[in-house]
Amino acid sequence: MYAALSSQPDGTVLVTTLDDEGSTIGQPQIVDGRSLPAAVAGLEPQHPRWVWDDTSRWYSALLDAGVRVERCVDLRLSHAILRRSELTAASELAGLPLSSWDRGAIESVEVAAGDVLFDLDRPMESAAEDPLEEFRMQRKAIASATDPGRIGLLLAAESAGALVAAEMQFAGLPWRADLHDEILASNLGPRPKPGQRPVLLEEVLERVREAFDAPELNPDSPAELLKALSRAGIVVTSTRSWELKKIEHPGIPPLLEYKKLARLLSANGWQWLDVNVRGGRFYPDYVPGGVVTGRWASKGGGGALQLPKQVRAAVVADDGWKLVVADASQLEPRILAALSGDRGMAEAGRSKDMYAAIVASGAVATRDQAKVAMLGAMYGATTGESGRLMPKLTRAYPQAIALVEMAARAGERGEIVTTRLGRSSPLPGEGWREIQGDAYGEAATDADQKRARSQARGWGRFTRNFVVQGSAAEWALCWMATVRHGLNEMAGTAWLTDAPHLVFFMHDELVVHCPADVAAEVERTLRDSAAQAGRLMFGELPVEFPLSVAIVDNYGQAK
DNA sequence: TCGTGTCGCGCC
DNA sequence: AAAGGGCGCGACACGA
């Protein structure tokens, strides 16, 4: 059973129960905003799938009112997938013009000002369309898909992810501002007055200035820094750390130290603490489906998905509680093995340490080479050691390499590629097509062709990575959804934050905050769910998805 | 003074 | 030792 929420122009909400095809069951209920949580809670015992345009909008308000739901359909996230998916390309939905169901959709409008017409891009009006209509359209698209099971699983996982995002945002990540302050003070010195540099940063800066004999140097300015380096006889094309590390000069160590400290200060310093942490919690702003590949993005200064290891010791479980930190080991290579069905690579993928198993199979000589070679295969490396290892990898795992090569060739031709569950890549932009077209024209120069080849290869690297990164993101969604279900079972009737609950997600890593006495049970749930995610996506496939799990008091203790 | 583009770097 | 994919953000640089 489904239950749809739609906003009415007068501010009331229509609650409509629906069957699988989207036909209305019984009489819709009209409720005002205040009584909506009670209405939702009243229907929840029937386990409906809640249908709404935007989970972060509806569910955040419900959570604030103390109401949780089990399942939902996030129409906007689903729409984005269905519109682009190769599996539903023939559907009516895929052929519709852009509307408010397409996030970030813009329409071009002509605005007259006196005699002049201006072409403006403006956002589409939102919520103009009826969610019930959209829901029926989506059900039809799914039913007519080339593989309804796959796309259906993807949409369910995507929507479950949206529920998790809202719940994690509601609960917040336990954060000890006093410990964060200690970390900053030990690295940078005590918090300075506004506009001043912390003392330890100032000291390192002085050492840099002395070493380069540049008393006014501001190393934050790449242009200035480049000049100072060249005066010291150092020739570099950029001021990136990994480039500077190669250089022997007494000024380089303090410069690298300065960059590290300056980064800590500007990205996760006292300002960050003031803005992002309140009442002992950090409230990240997740954006499910925010990345083309299906990965989540984050917005706002929090930078949840870039939380540096330096400050993780400030993430501390409440008294009597633990953090269970679980990380899917070597997820992307395992995904590639499972996707391609390559027997040799799947064999390696059954091992706890896939890279060691690749070495053991004789494909490459060292574990480091195995890692670099696999990364190169998934990212499209052509040069360096990674590029040199490709022929060896191809010999050892022909099917796996063929899969990523085919994805790359498709991208180079300007075609789309699709993940395991049916998320398809975008088409390259108009500019890209023009460049390709120019290279075949009468007047094409060598430079035109070179540019076109380089652009084509670039898009090929994107599509090559898309299938692996996107399928890995799907695995993570299946894992997360299953974990959430398992934790709910454990919680019984207890409220979200009074029982084991998810507090953090970062691509292939989950953190659960739970009472200490159930931490071991939570670990089992995490591990079982990882295995279940593998089965959901690949059936009984001979690839393992092992986790490294740490039960800790603070996040910094997890490796 | 503002908005926009680039660089560099954190995470996966 | 080094260069392939995806992000967000802060600081700087520059032009309006």
Side-chain angles (χ1 to χ4, degrees):
Chain A
M1 177 190 127
Y2 295 87
L5 299 184
S6 19
S7 302
Q8 305 267 89
D10 65 0
T12 61
V13 177
L14 210 57
V15 184
T16 314
T17 49
L18 307 157
D19 65 18
D20 283 1
E21 280 73 46
S23 303
T24 305
I25 306 170
Q27 204 54 252
Q29 209 184 326
I30 298 170
V31 296
D32 62 28
R34 249 181 336 181
S35 45
L36 179 65
V40 169
L43 272 174
E44 187 61 13
Q46 298 178 50
H47 311 287
R49 211 175 258 284
W50 292 95
V51 177
W52 49 45
D53 54 5
D54 179 358
T55 303
S56 66
R57 185 160 82 90
W58 292 98
Y59 196 34
S60 301
L62 290 170
L63 287 167
D64 286 339
V67 174
R68 287 187 75 195
V69 304
E70 205 176 296
R71 315 186 297 168
C72 80
V73 175
D74 187 303
L75 290 172
R76 193 157 285 127
L77 290 173
S78 301
H79 183 97
I81 292 170
L82 291 169
R83 168 180 288 289
R84 217 144 58 189
S85 177
E86 193 186 334
L87 277 57
T88 49
S91 65
E92 187 185 350
L93 186 152
L96 293 176
L98 291 182
S99 71
S100 69
W101 294 107
D102 300 274
R103 179 171 31 201
I106 47 166
E107 59 181 344
S108 201
V109 287
E110 287 186 337
V111 175
D115 302 333
V116 190
L117 276 180
F118 290 96
D119 246 351
L120 296 179
D121 286 339
R122 79 164 186 219
M124 302 283 297
E125 300 293 319
S126 66
E129 285 89 351
D130 179 9
L132 294 179
E133 272 310 303
E134 173 65 19
F135 178 62
R136 290 182 192 116
M137 187 81 79
Q138 293 193 6
R139 296 301 300 171
K140 274 196 279 178
I142 296 164
S144 68
T146 41
D147 194 340
R150 278 190 186 173
I151 197 89
L153 175 57
L154 173 55
L155 298 183
E158 183 89 340
S159 293
L163 293 176
V164 173
E167 287 173 356
M168 290 197 302
Q169 205 157 18
F170 173 82
L173 182 63
W175 200 282
R176 285 269 302 272
D178 57 326
L179 292 181
H180 188 158
D181 179 69
E182 276 177 29
I183 293 165
L184 294 176
S186 71
N187 282 282
L188 300 162
R191 181 172 193 162
K193 294 199 180 68
Q196 290 187 345
R197 277 199 188 85
V199 287
L200 295 180
L201 185 62
E202 189 68 44
E203 275 177 29
V204 184
L205 175 58
E206 280 318 310
R207 276 161 49 211
V208 173
R209 287 172 168 171
E210 266 172 48
F212 291 107
D213 194 22
E216 302 288 314
L217 174 67
N218 172 17
D220 294 331
S221 161
E224 260 188 64
L225 186 53
L226 223 45
K227 248 182 258 171
L229 289 169
S230 106
R231 260 191 291 115
I234 299 171
V235 265
V236 279
T237 49
S238 83
T239 62
R240 293 186 192 105
S241 292
W242 61 263
E243 194 121 20
L244 298 176
K245 273 182 196 137
K246 296 184 291 193
I247 296 157
E248 286 276 347
H249 185 281
I252 295 296
L255 175 56
L256 293 172
E257 175 74 5
Y258 175 88
K259 278 173 163 278
K260 198 164 178 58
L261 294 180
R263 170 77 191 186
L264 173 64
L265 176 66
S266 74
N268 296 97
W270 290 279
Q271 284 275 15
W272 183 93
L273 200 46
D274 290 347
V275 173
N276 292 292
V277 177
R278 351 177 260 287
R281 293 287 187 269
F282 163 44
Y283 296 95
D285 210 346
Y286 295 108
V287 186
V291 178
V292 275
T293 57
R295 272 187 176 179
W296 289 11
S298 65
K299 65 165 188 271
L305 297 176
Q306 292 99 241
L307 203 66
K309 294 199 161 76
Q310 269 170 310
V311 299
R312 292 187 191 176
V315 181
V316 180
D318 291 349
D319 277 346
W321 286 52
K322 292 280 182 186
L323 295 169
V324 186
V325 181
D327 179 312
S329 329
Q330 305 158 345
L331 178 59
E332 295 197 350
R334 288 172 199 279
I335 290 290
L336 174 55
L339 274 180
S340 64
D342 186 290
R343 287 187 56 182
M345 194 178 278
E347 167 80 33
R350 266 196 294 280
S351 173
K352 277 261 178 256
D353 185 345
M354 189 170 170
Y355 298 135
I358 289 174
V359 175
S361 78
V364 294
T366 66
R367 194 178 176 284
D368 231 37
Q369 284 187 345
K371 191 173 176 173
V372 162
M374 285 300 287
L375 285 176
M378 293 182 297
Y379 293 160
T382 51
T383 61
E385 163 146 28
S386 186
R388 281 195 296 280
L389 286 166
M390 288 305 294
K392 281 188 169 184
L393 212 60
T394 308
R395 260 195 307 278
Y397 308 118
Q399 256 189 282
I401 301 307
L403 184 141
V404 286
E405 288 296 325
M406 276 178 58
R409 297 294 95 78
E412 289 170 11
R413 292 191 300 268
E415 297 165 6
I416 62 170
V417 295
T418 300
T419 60
R420 176 71 180 187
L421 295 184
R423 194 186 307 261
S424 296
S425 63
L427 287 167
E430 205 47 51
W432 188 93
R433 284 188 189 288
E434 272 171 36
I435 289 171
Q436 299 305 315
D438 288 350
Y440 293 100
E442 292 281 308
T445 64
D446 279 0
D448 286 338
Q449 295 190 353
K450 212 168 157 187
R451 187 167 65 133
R453 274 310 293 159
S454 141
Q455 293 268 317
R457 271 196 290 267
W459 197 259
R461 282 193 298 275
F462 165 63
T463 50
R464 169 199 296 265
N465 186 248
F466 184 96
V467 290
V468 178
Q469 187 184 117
S471 299
E474 288 166 350
W475 180 92
L477 286 172
C478 290
W479 180 38
M480 180 183 330
T482 311
V483 168
R484 176 176 184 264
H485 182 74
L487 295 179
N488 288 352
E489 301 267 284
M490 281 178 69
T493 56
W495 175 241
L496 177 68
T497 48
D498 297 328
H501 60 283
L502 288 160
V503 286
F504 195 60
F505 170 66
M506 191 162 43
H507 305 308
D508 60 358
E509 186 170 334
L510 281 172
V511 181
V512 175
H513 191 211
C514 69
D517 60 339
V518 297
E521 198 183 334
V522 167
E523 174 173 352
R524 275 197 300 280
T525 298
L526 285 160
R527 290 190 189 279
D528 292 348
S529 301
Q532 176 65 9
R535 282 192 295 271
L536 281 170
M537 285 189 63
F538 302 107
E540 292 296 338
L541 213 94
V543 174
E544 298 277 324
F545 291 96
L547 304 181
S548 63
V549 181
I551 299 175
V552 293
D553 295 309
N554 83 66
Y555 194 8
Q557 292 164 337
K559 130 204 121 60

